[in-house]
């Protein structure tokens, strides 16, 4: 399984994302923002966190128009798995691959802490078969992590137990209707090693490897 890690100017979580998927047995390859195509043999795509293009205009707005995003769109339309984490989630929303938008946290501050997430939809590959109502633990680290949108327009896969960021309907992660494009503000790549206090991130990243 070959996972393309998309790197924009300002991405900073690409290395930890690569380590996480490689730890799960996949091959991580870098996809550069200016490329028109994904690396040959790409099976899945991961858009990591960071501050693409310095978060100018709006978070993810410029990155959503980068040349590589057309290749990501084609991959998604063909049913290929795509996950956007934090800034990657913002990019997917700005690109129209997921509904809604991300705005500043209700706390008006950067939030970095472990969060309990409730599984809401077990019909996608992103929760490792966990039942609705079960809780997983994955950290967040963001300043613009409050998802705003109509929950009826998306498949809500994960909700925060505590409404710390101010997301509509406590949304933490959503997919498109087909379920192959996932976006979430929590960082599953930072929850794949017991030394980090949780391995629940593997449940989410496992959706890339099916």
């Amino acid at each position: 399984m070959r996972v393309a890690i998309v790197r924009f100017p300002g991405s900073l979580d690409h290395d930890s994302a690569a380590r996480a998927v490689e730890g799960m047995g996949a091959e991580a390859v870098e996809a550069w923002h200016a490329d028109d195509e994904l690396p040959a043999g790409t099976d899945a795509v991961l858009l990591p966190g960071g501050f693409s293009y310095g978060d100018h205009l709006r978070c993810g707005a410029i990155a959503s128009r980068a040349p590589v995003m057309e290749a990501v769109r084609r991959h998604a339309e063909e049913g290929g798995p795509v996950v956007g984490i934090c800034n990657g989630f913002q990019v997917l929303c700005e690109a129209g691959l997921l509904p809604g938008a991300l705005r500043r946290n209700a706390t008006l501050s950067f939030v970095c802490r472990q969060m309990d997430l409730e599984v809401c939809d077990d019909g996608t590959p992103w929760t490792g078969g966990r039942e609705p109502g079960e809780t997983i633990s994955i950290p967040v680290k963001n300043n613009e992590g409050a998802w705003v949108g109509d929950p009826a327009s998306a498949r809500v896969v994960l909700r925060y137990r505590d409404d710390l960021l101010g997301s509509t309907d406590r949304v933490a992660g959503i997919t498109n209707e087909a379920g192959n494009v996932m976006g979430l503000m929590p960082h599953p790549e930072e929850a794949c090693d017991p030394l980090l206090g949780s391995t629940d991130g593997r449940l989410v990243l496992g959706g890339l490897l099916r």
Side-chain angles (χ1 to χ4, degrees), residues 75-115:
H75 177 81
E77 289 174 348
E78 292 168 359
V82 177
V83 65
I85 301 168
C86 195
N87 191 221
F89 184 16
Q90 296 162 342
V91 173
L92 291 176
C93 289
E94 291 288 342
L97 290 172
L98 289 174
L102 283 302
R103 69 178 184 187
R104 198 169 182 195
N105 296 335
T107 60
L108 300 182
S109 63
F110 192 91
V111 175
C112 181
R113 56 169 288 183
Q114 200 73 18
M115 298 286 281

Side-chain angles (χ1 to χ4, degrees), residues 34-121:
D35 291 342
D36 294 325
E37 300 289 341
L38 294 169
T42 292
D43 298 300
V45 176
L46 188 156
L47 279 67
F51 304 92
S52 59
Y53 296 93
D55 279 351
H56 292 299
L57 299 181
R58 297 183 307 279
C59 299
I62 299 177
S64 71
R65 290 153 177 80
V68 75
M69 287 305 297
E70 281 306 311
V72 173
R73 185 186 302 279
R74 290 193 296 273
H75 177 81
E77 289 174 348
E78 292 168 359
V82 177
V83 65
I85 301 168
C86 195
N87 191 221
F89 184 16
Q90 296 162 342
V91 173
L92 291 176
C93 289
E94 291 288 342
L97 290 172
L98 289 174
L102 283 302
R103 69 178 184 187
R104 198 169 182 195
N105 296 335
T107 60
L108 300 182
S109 63
F110 192 91
V111 175
C112 181
R113 56 169 288 183
Q114 200 73 18
M115 298 286 281
D116 287 336
L117 310 173
E118 177 185 332
V119 174
C120 304
D121 185 341

Side-chain angles (χ1 to χ4, degrees), residues 189-201:
E189 80 280 12
E190 305 292 357
C192 290
D193 189 319
L195 289 174
L196 298 177
S198 172
T199 58
D200 288 344

Side-chain angles (χ1 to χ4, degrees), residues 81-170:
V82 177
V83 65
I85 301 168
C86 195
N87 191 221
F89 184 16
Q90 296 162 342
V91 173
L92 291 176
C93 289
E94 291 288 342
L97 290 172
L98 289 174
L102 283 302
R103 69 178 184 187
R104 198 169 182 195
N105 296 335
T107 60
L108 300 182
S109 63
F110 192 91
V111 175
C112 181
R113 56 169 288 183
Q114 200 73 18
M115 298 286 281
D116 287 336
L117 310 173
E118 177 185 332
V119 174
C120 304
D121 185 341
D122 63 350
T124 76
W126 306 102
T127 58
R130 295 291 181 93
E131 297 288 333
E134 289 194 56
T135 299
I136 63 176
S137 179
I138 298 177
V140 298
K141 50 175 184 172
N142 64 68
N143 192 55
E144 288 87 9
W147 183 81
V148 179
D150 179 3
S153 68
R155 295 180 69 172
V156 179
V157 178
L158 297 169
R159 284 192 176 91
Y160 299 108
R161 285 285 192 191
D162 298 322
D163 185 22
L164 185 62
L165 304 184
S167 290
T168 301
D169 202 25
R170 296 184 288 114

Side-chain angles (χ1 to χ4, degrees), residues 170-191:
R170 296 184 288 114
V171 166
I174 60 174
T175 70
N176 61 347
E177 183 176 355
N180 65 307
V181 179
M182 170 75 172
L184 73 166
M185 289 310 294
H187 285 260
E189 80 280 12
E190 305 292 357

